[in-house]
Amino acid sequence: MKIFTIGEILKATGGKLMCGNEQEQVSGFSIDSREVGPKDMFFATKGSRNDAHDFIPDVIKKGCRCLVVANMEKVPKTDDDNLNVILTENPLKALQDLAAYYIRTLPLKKKIGVTGSVGKTSTRDMMYYVASTKYKTGRNKKNYNSAYGLPLSILEFEPDTEIAVLEMAMDTFGEIKLLADIVRPDIAIITQIAEVNLLSMKNTENILKAKMEITTFFDENSTLIVNSACSMLTPEKVAGDYKLVTVGTGEDDDYRISDICDFGDKGIKYTLHRKNKTYDISLPTAGGHNAFNASLAIAAGELIDISPEEAAEGLKNAQLTGKRLNVRENNGIKVIDDTYNACEDSIKSAINTLISTEGKRKVAILGDIIGLAHRAKDAHFDIGRYAAEKGIDELIAIGDEARHYAEGAKTIMAQGKIMYFPEKKDFFKEQDELIRSGDVVLVKASRGMELEEIVESILEDKE
């Protein structure tokens, strides 16, 4: 990580030094008073629930002596000559401005932005491993893909970083444009457009429009790479005054995928067709849908002079950020933890992985997909029916909307193989009767359902 001086931070943010020394050095950045360290700079950002200015006394007690604030009255009076305080109208914008400044100082060959309704974190991770076969590469920390997290991630990049791979998330219009302005990507990847955030975005047309903000600062030398197997990402809908690369299953795609084989927890293999060549790709990553995510990364790899063969080797080492088809085992039970997020397509793909994983019984524990608005009933019903069609042995539905999973499954499955619980606590009471040694259990829902509690409960050591 680069060591910044207060003076450099002042120039990047346009802030005013209220007290302190411009030569003072900063080696880390934080917006969380619980995690801040003595050598860090604390940005007192204001969120929907908390104002970080209220935690400044706690930050100072922890030894932090560098602050960016919008309200000097919240800074305790002190005789400490080592305290450095920068005043700015908006500490969050100051953080973003500093990240934008820093990324432009790096010796970057390319900046790659990744977005999409689903698959963006997996694709980001795969792109990181592809790029790392040849270059010093930086990516987002954990799931830091927001107006807060993305700048913090950039500020942790090493000064010799050559490729930046940065995931960008959104809940509404304007958010990806802001992130794209910070990064100014040369290459952008859009993984998929799906029915998520419908409460705020209303329809997939609006979601596409918001995701396309990643191209806001593109020119004729920039490249957009899309999964054209998604009906919302066809060339007719995403072409612009930039280069376009398509990845899909059609004969006209620049990268064509065929013969996907899903081996459950053992990974996948597929054939990738590029120009007049074919490549047999094997991945340790679970989930047939990851053939598309991997191919998007391979396509971007070619733009930074990494061949498909080299990219395929890098992908063999890929480790995806947690709770995405993460297979864990204890007590003779194999759990597929996919609790980070969910949409209709991703749940159906996870069900396919469940069916392909070796075990005595295939059990799906599915919670609500949050934010589907008018599509909630039909989407949950269709998934329940799909799970039954694929031949799962038991469906356990948890949550308010989850009752529609059960209703859909009942059109095919015997009622005795379907359980519905309004809340997690109801499931826990009967867990030991429902889950047995030898089972393979898929646990999936929207992040807000916090079904990782079920994963941990199933896997905990039994007395």
Side-chain angles (χ1 to χ4, degrees):
M1 178 186 291
K2 173 183 165 62
I3 304 299
F4 289 81
T5 65
I6 293 292
E8 190 175 9
I9 294 168
L10 285 168
K11 290 178 182 177
T13 63
K16 180 179 180 182
L17 186 63
M18 303 303 291
C19 61
N21 179 0
E22 288 195 14
Q23 302 308 312
E24 184 70 29
Q25 294 184 333
V26 176
S27 60
F29 301 91
S30 179
I31 60 171
D32 190 335
S33 62
R34 298 165 297 181
E35 298 178 357
V36 71
K39 298 295 184 180
D40 290 346
M41 170 167 278
F42 180 71
F43 288 79
T45 60
K46 187 174 182 179
S48 58
R49 290 180 291 181
N50 295 312
D51 184 345
H53 287 83
D54 296 333
F55 302 101
I56 289 176
D58 296 333
V59 168
I60 293 175
K61 285 179 183 177
K62 289 187 174 183
C64 178
R65 291 295 179 268
C66 298
L67 311 172
V68 178
V69 306
N71 185 352
M72 284 299 296
E73 293 181 2
K74 293 284 188 175
V75 180
K77 304 300 181 184
T78 177
D79 296 328
D80 187 349
D81 293 334
N82 294 319
L83 190 64
N84 301 272
V85 181
I86 296 175
L87 180 65
T88 181
E89 289 185 9
N90 185 335
L92 174 57
K93 186 176 187 304
L95 174 66
Q96 295 163 350
D97 288 344
L98 181 59
Y101 156 78
Y102 180 49
I103 200 170
R104 283 157 181 72
T105 69
L106 296 175
L108 292 169
K109 298 180 183 299
K110 293 293 180 183
K111 295 171 287 184
I112 303 170
V114 183
T115 193
S117 300
V118 292
K120 56 185 175 291
T121 304
S122 297
T123 303
R124 177 206 74 190
D125 290 340
M126 290 179 176
M127 186 67 242
Y128 170 82
Y129 284 96
V130 168
S132 295
T133 62
K134 187 174 286 190
Y135 304 103
K136 181 68 174 289
T137 306
R139 60 173 165 171
N140 310 67
K141 291 170 54 179
K142 303 176 185 177
N143 298 308
Y144 285 17
N145 55 19
S146 68
Y148 296 85
L150 181 140
L152 289 171
S153 296
I154 291 172
L155 292 170
E156 289 201 2
F157 285 3
E158 296 294 338
D160 58 347
T161 301
E162 298 173 288
I163 299 290
V165 182
L166 289 160
E167 174 188 350
M168 304 178 189
M170 48 73 63
D171 289 318
T172 190
F173 291 114
E175 294 178 345
I176 288 182
K177 180 180 179 181
L178 184 151
L179 300 179
D181 194 12
I182 295 171
V183 176
R184 297 295 177 109
D186 307 291
I187 301 166
I189 298 172
I190 302 181
T191 60
Q192 192 172 347
I193 302 298
E195 292 180 322
V196 297
N197 297 333
L198 288 182
L199 284 174
S200 59
M201 299 305 295
K202 307 302 181 186
N203 54 55
T204 52
E205 286 76 16
N206 284 339
I207 295 170
L208 172 62
K209 184 177 179 181
K211 296 295 184 184
M212 286 294 291
E213 290 176 2
I214 200 168
T215 66
T216 301
F217 304 97
F218 269 19
D219 59 27
E220 66 276 6
N221 296 314
S222 307
T223 304
L224 175 64
I225 306 172
V226 298
N227 171 11
S228 64
C230 171
S231 62
M232 295 298 295
L233 293 173
T234 59
E236 296 77 19
K237 295 184 178 182
V238 298
D241 295 327
Y242 42 77
K243 301 170 187 175
L244 179 66
V245 174
T246 62
V247 174
T249 57
E251 291 292 338
D252 294 332
D253 283 312
D254 298 300
Y255 294 79
R256 181 169 67 86
I257 296 165
S258 68
D259 305 315
I260 299 173
C261 297
D262 188 338
F263 303 112
D265 60 328
K266 301 296 190 296
I268 65 171
K269 73 174 183 179
Y270 67 98
T271 301
L272 181 64
H273 307 263
R274 168 63 171 155
K275 295 182 178 177
N276 295 321
K277 292 186 177 181
T278 60
Y279 304 90
D280 293 324
I281 310 292
S282 295
L283 301 176
T285 310
H289 62 280
N290 276 314
F292 293 91
N293 296 334
S295 298
L296 291 166
I298 291 171
E302 279 213 271
L303 296 177
I304 53 174
D305 298 321
I306 296 173
S307 70
E309 294 96 337
E310 293 170 318
E313 286 301 309
L315 288 167
K316 289 179 181 178
N317 300 316
Q319 297 182 17
L320 304 187
T321 301
K323 303 187 187 304
R324 290 168 174 82
L325 290 178
N326 182 25
V327 182
R328 301 165 61 189
E329 190 168 0
N330 197 21
N331 307 314
I333 301 168
K334 190 178 290 185
V335 178
I336 303 172
D337 179 359
D338 202 16
T339 55
Y340 181 71
N341 219 331
C343 72
E344 183 173 352
D345 288 344
S346 68
I347 294 181
K348 288 179 177 178
S349 182
I351 289 168
N352 294 342
T353 299
L354 169 65
I355 294 300
S356 299
T357 301
E358 186 176 346
K360 291 181 180 179
R361 295 192 315 150
K362 312 299 174 65
V363 180
I365 301 178
L366 305 179
D368 288 358
I369 306 173
I370 297 172
L372 286 183
H374 62 280
R375 277 281 297 145
K377 180 178 179 180
D378 289 346
H380 287 83
F381 185 94
D382 289 347
I383 291 168
R385 183 178 177 86
Y386 183 84
E389 288 174 343
K390 298 301 288 188
I392 66 170
D393 296 291
E394 187 170 274
L395 172 66
I396 300 171
I398 299 173
D400 183 35
E401 298 291 353
R403 67 185 185 275
H404 301 303
Y405 290 136
E407 292 167 0
K410 285 176 185 176
T411 62
I412 296 175
M413 287 176 69
Q415 189 161 341
K417 295 183 178 182
I418 304 166
M419 299 292 293
Y420 169 65
F421 301 102
E423 298 182 39
K424 284 177 289 188
K425 64 181 182 181
D426 303 314
F427 164 78
F428 289 133
K429 294 174 184 177
E430 300 188 39
Q431 173 184 317
D432 292 341
E433 301 297 322
L434 296 172
I435 308 299
R436 311 169 193 165
S437 179
D439 285 351
V440 181
V441 183
L442 167 67
V443 186
K444 188 164 179 63
S446 286
R447 183 70 192 88
M449 294 297 291
E450 298 181 347
L451 289 199
E452 65 271 16
E453 295 174 5
I454 288 177
V455 172
E456 299 307 325
S457 179
I458 293 172
L459 291 173
E460 71 181 7
D461 291 328
K462 308 299 181 184
E463 296 183 358

